C-alpha cells in the first residue's frame, strides 16, 4: 500500500467519525438553484428575501424547543474549486476522486449549481423527520413568495446526497469546530518591518512608504507578517490596512499626481489626511462580525471551509446585508456634521460582494440611490484597495 492509499484509508475512517458526529445532533437541508438569487433578483428584493428567511428561522426555533440552533450559508460547486486540505492544493474533483470515489456520480450531478445550506442542530434528536419537513416547507413558502424556484433535498430522505455536500463543503469539519474555543496561537516575535510614516511628507514619499510596506509583507521572506497585517496587531499595521492603502489608491486613481504635501491626522485632527488644502476622511464598511471571521481566517489554511458553522453563518449574513453596511457607514459620517467639505473614502472588501462583478455593480447602484453627497465634496468606495468607484 503506497502513502496516498494509507492517507486515503485514514481519511475515510476519520470522515466516517465526523459524519456520525454530525448526524447524531444535526440534519441538513440543501436548496439548489441555477445561480444565486442575489444575481437574479434586484438587490432590494434579495435583501428582503434574506430578512424573511432569517425571520422564519428565528420563528421556527422559538416554536420548536427541540431545536438548539440553525446555521446557514451559500456556496457554489464549480470546476475551479480547490482544496488546501492536501498540500499541494488540488482540485475538488481530484479530492473527491481520491477520498470519496463513491460520490463521483453525485459530483457530476451537482456541478455548476448554486446551493443554500441550512443545518438544524438539535438539543436532542427525537422527531427530526417531522422538524426537517416543517422547516423545508416553511422555507419553500418564503422562496415562493418571491417567485423564485429551486430544488431541494434533506438528510432524512437523501442522506447519500447530503453526505456528498457535507464533505465537499467541509460541513462535517465545520460542525466539529462548534463549541470548541480556538486555541490561542503562540505569539512569535518577528521583526516589525512596518515603520511609522512621517506625519508630514511629500505625496511621493507617502506613496513610496505604502508600496514598500506592502512589498515587505507580501513579497518579502516574512511569513508571519501577512497574518499580522490581516489582524492589525500593531498600530502600524492597523493604520496601513485601514487607512493608508486606501488613501494611496485614491491618490493613484483619482488625483493621479504625486505632487504636493500630505499630512496625516493620526486621530489628533478632525480629518484623516490633508493633501495640500484637500481634506480627506477615511472609513471602513465592516459587517458586524467581520473581526471574528478575519481572526479565524488568519489561522486556517482552509479558507471559509475551515471556519465553524457559526462563523460561516455570520459571514453569510454579512455578505447578504453588505450594501446596507456601506449605506450605514456613509450615513454615520454625515451624522458627524463636519464644518468643512472633504472627500470621503470607504474601504470595502470584494469578498463581501461575493467576488462577483454583477453583485458589486448592483450594490454600488443601491448605495448611490440610498445616500446623498451632503457636506462631502465627493464620495468613493475603494474595493480591496485596488480600485476607486465614485458614489457621489
Amino acid at each position: 500500500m503506497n502513502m496516498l492509499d494509507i492517507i486515503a484509508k485514514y481519511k475515510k475512517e476519520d470522515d466516517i467519525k465526523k459524519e456520525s458526529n454530525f448526524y447524531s445532533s444535526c440534519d441538513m437541508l440543501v436548496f439548489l438553484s441555477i445561480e444565486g438569487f442575489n444575481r437574479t433578483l434586484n438587490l432590494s428584493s434579495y435583501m428582503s428575501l434574506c430578512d424573511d428567511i432569517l425571520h422564519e428561522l428565528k420563528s421556527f426555533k422559538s416554536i420548536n424547543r427541540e431545536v438548539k440552533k440553525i446555521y446557514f450559508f451559500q456556496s457554489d460547486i464549480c470546476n475551479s474549486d480547490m482544496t488546501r486540505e492536501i498540500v499541494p492544493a488540488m482540485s475538488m474533483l481530484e479530492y473527491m476522486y481520491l477520498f470519496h470515489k463513491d460520490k463521483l456520480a453525485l459530483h457530476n450531478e451537482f456541478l455548476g449549481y448554486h446551493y443554500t445550506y441550512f443545518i438544524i442542530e438539535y438539543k436532542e434528536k427525537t422527531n427530526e423527520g417531522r422538524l426537517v419537513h416543517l422547516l423545508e416547507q416553511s422555507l419553500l413558502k418564503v422562496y415562493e413568495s418571491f417567485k423564485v424556484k429551486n430544488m431541494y433535498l434533506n438528510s432524512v430522505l437523501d442522506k447519500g446526497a447530503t453526505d456528498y455536500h457535507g464533505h465537499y463543503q467541509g460541513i462535517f469539519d465545520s460542525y466539529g469546530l462548534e463549541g470548541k474555543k480556538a486555541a490561542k496561537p503562540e505569539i512569535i516575535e518577528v521583526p516589525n518591518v512596518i515603520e511609522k510614516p512621517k506625519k508630514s511628507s511629500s505625496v511621493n514619499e507617502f506613496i513610496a512608504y505604502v508600496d514598500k510596506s506592502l512589498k515587505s509583507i507580501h513579497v518579502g521572506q516574512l511569513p508571519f507578517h501577512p497574518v499580522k497585517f490581516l489582524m492589525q496587531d500593531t498600530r502600524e499595521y492597523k493604520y496601513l490596512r485601514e487607512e493608508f492603502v486606501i488613501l494611496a489608491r485614491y491618490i493613484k486613481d483619482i488625483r493621479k499626481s504625486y505632487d504636493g504635501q500630505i499630512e496625516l491626522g493620526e486621530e489628533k485632527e478632525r480629518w484623516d489626511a490633508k493633501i495640500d488644502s484637500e481634506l480627506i476622511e477615511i472609513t471602513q464598511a465592516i459587517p458586524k462580525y467581520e473581526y471574528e471571521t478575519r481572526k479565524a481566517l488568519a489561522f486556517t489554511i482552509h479558507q471559509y471551509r475551515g471556519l465553524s458553522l457559526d462563523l460561516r453563518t455570520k459571514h453569510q449574513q454579512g455578505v447578504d446585508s453588505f450594501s446596507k453596511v456601506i449605506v450605514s457607514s456613509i450615513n454615520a459620517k454625515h451624522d458627524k456634521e463636519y464644518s468643512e467639505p472633504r472627500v470621503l473614502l470607504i474601504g470595502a472588501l470584494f469578498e463581501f460582494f461575493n467576488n462577483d462583478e454583477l453583485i458589486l455593480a448592483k450594490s454600488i447602484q443601491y448605495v448611490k440611490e440610498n445616500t446623498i453627497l451632503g457636506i462631502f465634496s465627493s464620495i468613493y468606495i475603494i474595493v480591496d484597495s485596488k480600485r476607486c468607484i465614485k458614489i457621489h
Side-chain angles (χ1 to χ4, degrees):
M1 184 179 290
N2 63 36
M3 183 57 67
L4 200 56
D5 289 334
I6 294 172
I7 293 173
K9 180 177 182 297
Y10 168 79
K11 178 164 177 52
K12 191 68 175 177
E13 292 171 353
D14 188 50
D15 282 350
I16 289 172
K17 292 177 184 177
K18 290 174 182 175
E19 284 180 32
S20 177
N21 179 54
F22 176 84
Y23 288 121
S24 67
S25 301
C26 301
D27 274 305
M28 188 191 315
L29 298 173
V30 183
F31 286 80
L32 175 160
S33 55
I34 294 174
E35 59 182 335
F37 297 129
N38 54 355
R39 290 180 61 86
T40 56
L41 294 172
N42 69 60
L43 194 55
S44 293
S45 294
Y46 175 72
M47 289 191 290
S48 294
L49 169 64
C50 293
D51 289 342
D52 286 2
I53 287 176
L54 190 59
H55 178 269
E56 192 64 37
L57 296 180
K58 288 180 178 178
S59 176
F60 186 84
K61 181 179 178 296
S62 66
I63 293 170
N64 298 285
R65 301 297 181 181
E66 309 100 308
V67 176
K68 182 179 179 181
K69 199 159 187 177
I70 302 176
Y71 310 99
F72 62 93
F73 67 93
Q74 299 181 43
S75 187
D76 296 321
I77 292 178
C78 55
N79 276 322
S80 60
D81 286 347
M82 301 287 289
T83 177
R84 298 185 183 278
E85 183 173 349
I86 308 300
V87 179
M90 63 175 66
S91 72
M92 284 304 296
L93 178 60
E94 293 176 279
Y95 179 86
M96 297 304 292
Y97 178 81
L98 284 172
F99 304 114
H100 299 285
K101 195 178 294 185
D102 57 318
K103 302 289 191 298
L104 276 180
L106 288 170
H107 177 73
N108 294 330
E109 181 181 341
F110 291 127
L111 185 65
Y113 292 97
H114 182 84
Y115 299 89
T116 305
Y117 299 93
F118 297 92
I119 293 95
I120 309 173
E121 183 181 16
Y122 306 100
K123 294 175 182 174
E124 185 179 354
K125 227 177 171 187
T126 54
N127 194 9
E128 62 271 16
R130 179 184 69 85
L131 291 173
V132 168
H133 177 73
L134 285 175
L135 181 58
E136 193 173 72
Q137 294 307 306
S138 296
L139 291 170
L140 281 172
K141 287 179 181 177
V142 175
Y143 283 125
E144 288 169 0
S145 70
F146 285 83
K147 296 181 171 57
V148 295
K149 295 182 180 180
N150 48 20
M151 295 176 279
Y152 51 93
L153 53 92
N154 65 62
S155 56
V156 174
L157 300 176
D158 311 284
K159 186 173 176 297
T162 58
D163 284 351
Y164 162 81
H165 286 278
H167 291 301
Y168 190 97
Q169 302 290 10
I171 292 171
F172 302 141
D173 295 286
S174 288
Y175 181 65
L177 297 173
E178 291 304 324
K180 292 182 180 179
K181 191 173 182 179
K184 190 174 181 179
E186 181 182 352
I187 297 175
I188 302 174
E189 296 296 335
V190 294
N192 188 349
V193 297
I194 304 302
E195 300 174 357
K196 185 178 178 180
K198 296 177 183 177
K199 186 178 188 303
S200 181
S201 67
S202 70
V203 172
N204 191 58
E205 286 177 313
F206 174 76
I207 293 295
Y209 161 78
V210 172
D211 289 347
K212 179 183 176 182
S213 298
L214 292 177
K215 184 177 179 180
S216 68
I217 291 171
H218 298 299
V219 180
Q221 302 301 311
L222 297 164
F224 300 108
H225 285 281
V227 172
K228 290 168 73 68
F229 177 65
L230 183 63
M231 292 307 301
Q232 304 172 186
D233 70 349
T234 69
R235 183 183 179 89
E236 290 77 17
Y237 286 100
K238 175 180 171 63
Y239 276 102
L240 180 65
R241 185 174 185 270
E242 289 191 348
E243 294 188 10
F244 300 157
V245 293
I246 293 172
L247 181 55
R249 180 51 55 192
Y250 167 73
I251 293 169
K252 291 176 180 179
D253 286 5
I254 307 302
R255 288 183 66 91
K256 297 181 179 178
S257 170
Y258 294 178
D259 294 333
Q261 290 293 120
I262 186 168
E263 188 174 353
L264 303 176
E266 296 183 337
E267 297 183 358
K268 296 175 183 177
E269 307 288 350
R270 279 181 57 82
W271 37 262
D272 293 316
K274 180 165 71 171
I275 304 176
D276 294 333
S277 61
E278 182 180 62
L279 302 184
I280 299 172
E281 190 71 22
I282 306 169
T283 191
Q284 296 271 333
I286 302 175
K288 187 176 181 180
Y289 300 105
E290 185 266 352
Y291 178 77
E292 288 184 50
T293 54
R294 177 158 47 90
K295 182 179 178 182
L297 285 170
F299 299 102
T300 177
I301 64 170
H302 304 308
Q303 301 301 313
Y304 289 102
R305 286 189 176 94
L307 303 189
S308 68
L309 291 178
D310 184 57
L311 281 180
R312 292 174 85 167
T313 299
K314 288 176 177 177
H315 178 71
Q316 184 64 56
Q317 289 177 280
V319 169
D320 291 338
S321 63
F322 192 53
S323 298
K324 295 178 183 177
V325 171
I326 300 173
V327 170
S328 295
S329 297
I330 294 173
N331 288 338
K333 288 299 179 181
H334 282 310
D335 292 342
K336 297 283 186 179
E337 297 182 343
Y338 298 110
S339 58
E340 301 168 279
R342 62 197 62 202
V343 175
L344 176 61
L345 308 179
I346 304 116
L349 296 177
F350 194 36
E351 65 188 88
F352 287 105
F353 300 107
N354 278 121
N355 294 310
D356 187 314
E357 292 294 337
L358 176 59
I359 306 305
L360 172 61
K362 285 186 174 187
S363 184
I364 294 300
Q365 187 60 37
Y366 176 89
V367 173
K368 286 181 177 180
E369 292 171 355
N370 289 276
T371 57
I372 61 172
L373 179 61
I375 187 62
F376 297 104
S377 56
S378 54
I379 300 175
Y380 294 90
I381 288 179
I382 318 296
V383 181
D384 278 357
S385 300
K386 293 178 179 177
R387 52 177 159 160
C388 295
I389 301 173
K390 188 169 186 178
I391 299 299
H392 297 294

